[in-house]
Amino acid sequence: MDRSAIEYLNYLENSDPFFYKNFNDFIVYASSLNKNLKDEEYKQLKESKDSDYKITLKDKKTTINIIKNFFYKISPNIIKQIDFDVANNNIVFLNRDQMGNSSSRITLSGDNYKIEILESSKIEESYLLVREYAHLFAGNLLDAEGYDRGLKKVYVEAITSLTEFALAKHLSTNKALKNDSINYINKKIYDSIYNMNDSYLTLTYLGYLLEGRGHDEIVRLLGSEEIVDKLDAIVRGKKPCNDYIFTLGTMMAIKEADRTTNIFERINTFYIKAVSQDFKYFNDNMILDLDQKNAVNDIGIYLASNK
């Protein structure tokens, strides 16, 4: 039996016990999503994934104004924070070389922070900026005691993703930006379904190693030497399988968006509960549902009502 496989399994158990305890359910859930999507739903998502944003925003003030108008619907108090950040140069737009593999992030320096956004002059800037503000308000939930950190990360992502869906609703009446906004959300849904494949392949490879299969057989089963080399680097380098956080958070947000009559009011409540670290509230009111049929149905409802 491959020693690296045992070490990686121990790494998963120690670094992310929530994922370790549930990874089989997560993988079945994720792999079933793409199998059960209707052809027209897959086509709708794939067309957005392959498309470019059409509208170029005039300047960074336009990007800021988009999110200010949006956040006003959630809580006018948030506008004060945005104005403070603008006045103190806490929001910066950087090029790809400066951002590396990130599209957005918050960096800390003492008591100060910077919200760094990949510059594109497209609607994506506004969505990325909204994501980071949502993280600022929802991130306190990570400090709630008595719950696995992986589970808490899923709920933070769910709140963040729901904020993005709310921005899409806000922009649905903007004739110029509506189509680009829909494309952003559809790209997000597409990625949330298919990014989980990395974890699926990693765990499949791990299973083959634990079964004692030879290298040539594993290459044949997985399709190429390149794929096996990539997965081997993940296992030997002890890299986390954390794409489930994005997948589950997005699916929870879609369900919430489908059933919520006032999404802006709902998010304001979520922010308040997250800041107070009231994790029980989310456990009771935002259920983590791993029924893949329900998830596919939720996706269909969302896509049909947001064209």
Side-chain angles (χ1 to χ4, degrees):
M1 188 177 293
D2 192 301
R3 182 176 178 81
S4 65
I6 298 296
E7 291 177 349
Y8 188 66
L9 206 58
N10 290 335
Y11 161 75
L12 290 178
E13 183 177 14
N14 293 324
S15 65
D16 193 345
F18 177 66
F19 176 73
Y20 179 80
K21 288 182 290 188
N22 298 283
F23 69 76
N24 187 58
D25 289 339
F26 294 163
I27 297 305
V28 171
Y29 175 81
S31 63
S32 297
L33 291 181
N34 64 64
K35 293 177 183 176
N36 293 308
L37 273 183
K38 294 178 181 178
D39 289 344
E40 59 268 27
E41 292 166 353
Y42 173 80
K43 181 181 179 183
Q44 187 175 344
L45 295 176
K46 189 64 165 61
E47 286 178 349
S48 290
K49 177 66 176 177
D50 293 338
S51 66
D52 296 324
Y53 300 115
K54 305 298 183 185
I55 304 301
T56 299
L57 301 181
K58 181 179 178 181
D59 50 30
K60 301 313 172 194
K61 184 178 180 180
T62 301
T63 300
I64 301 295
N65 284 338
I66 288 172
I67 72 159
K68 286 178 65 175
N69 290 335
F70 161 67
F71 273 122
Y72 187 83
K73 292 183 176 180
I74 296 176
S75 172
N77 289 330
I78 297 176
I79 309 305
K80 298 177 183 178
Q81 183 64 49
I82 297 173
D83 285 339
F84 174 85
D85 288 335
V86 170
N88 288 276
N89 298 313
N90 290 340
I91 302 173
V92 293
F93 297 87
L94 304 174
N95 61 38
R96 173 54 71 192
D97 288 342
Q98 294 169 306
M99 290 296 292
N101 293 327
S102 298
S103 294
S104 65
R105 63 194 175 205
I106 297 175
T107 59
L108 300 176
S109 177
D111 294 331
N112 299 318
Y113 67 84
K114 295 282 186 185
I115 302 175
E116 298 176 341
I117 302 296
L118 178 63
E119 184 172 26
S120 67
S121 297
K122 303 292 183 180
I123 193 61
E124 187 177 23
E125 287 184 346
S126 295
Y127 274 99
L128 294 173
L129 194 48
V130 159
R131 274 191 66 83
E132 294 309 325
Y133 272 107
H135 273 300
L136 284 175
F137 298 115
N140 291 276
L141 206 57
L142 295 175
D143 295 325
E145 296 183 355
Y147 301 90
D148 283 336
R149 188 166 180 81
L151 178 62
K152 292 187 288 187
K153 286 182 177 181
V154 168
Y155 274 91
V156 170
E157 179 57 41
I159 299 167
T160 303
S161 293
L162 187 62
T163 307
E164 290 178 288
F165 290 129
L167 177 57
K169 184 175 181 63
H170 169 70
L171 293 173
S172 64
T173 58
N174 186 312
K175 292 181 179 179
L177 296 174
K178 178 180 178 179
N179 287 338
D180 278 355
S181 177
I182 290 173
N183 280 341
Y184 176 89
I185 292 296
N186 287 353
K187 289 172 190 283
K188 174 184 177 66
I189 296 173
Y190 182 94
D191 286 342
S192 72
I193 295 172
Y194 295 101
N195 279 356
M196 191 68 179
N197 286 341
D198 287 345
S199 288
Y200 176 78
L201 287 173
T202 300
L203 294 172
T204 299
Y205 175 65
L206 184 65
Y208 291 155
L209 291 177
L210 292 171
E211 292 169 3
R213 295 178 184 259
H215 178 79
D216 291 343
E217 182 183 8
I218 294 176
V219 170
R220 179 177 58 80
L221 289 168
L222 292 178
S224 75
E225 191 84 44
E226 182 181 9
I227 291 175
V228 172
D229 287 345
K230 175 184 175 182
L231 298 175
D232 192 65
I234 291 174
V235 170
R236 295 186 185 280
K238 297 184 177 62
K239 297 180 181 179
C241 287
N242 55 16
D243 44 16
Y244 76 92
I245 296 169
F246 180 60
T247 297
L248 297 185
T250 300
M251 294 304 127
M252 291 171 69
I254 290 174
K255 180 182 290 293
E256 196 69 30
D258 285 344
R259 73 176 188 175
T260 301
T261 54
N262 188 332
I263 194 171
F264 308 108
E265 181 179 296
R266 187 72 164 157
I267 289 171
N268 187 42
T269 300
F270 281 176
Y271 287 171
I272 292 170
K273 295 296 184 180
V275 168
S276 64
Q277 300 173 25
D278 187 356
F279 198 86
K280 184 178 184 302
Y281 173 86
F282 291 99
N283 252 356
D284 294 341
N285 291 277
M286 200 178 191
I287 307 300
L288 174 55
D289 180 10
L290 288 179
D291 186 311
Q292 57 266 29
K293 291 183 180 179
N294 288 344
V296 170
N297 185 56
D298 292 337
I299 293 170
I301 292 172
Y302 184 84
L303 292 177
S305 59
N306 293 276
K307 292 184 177 180

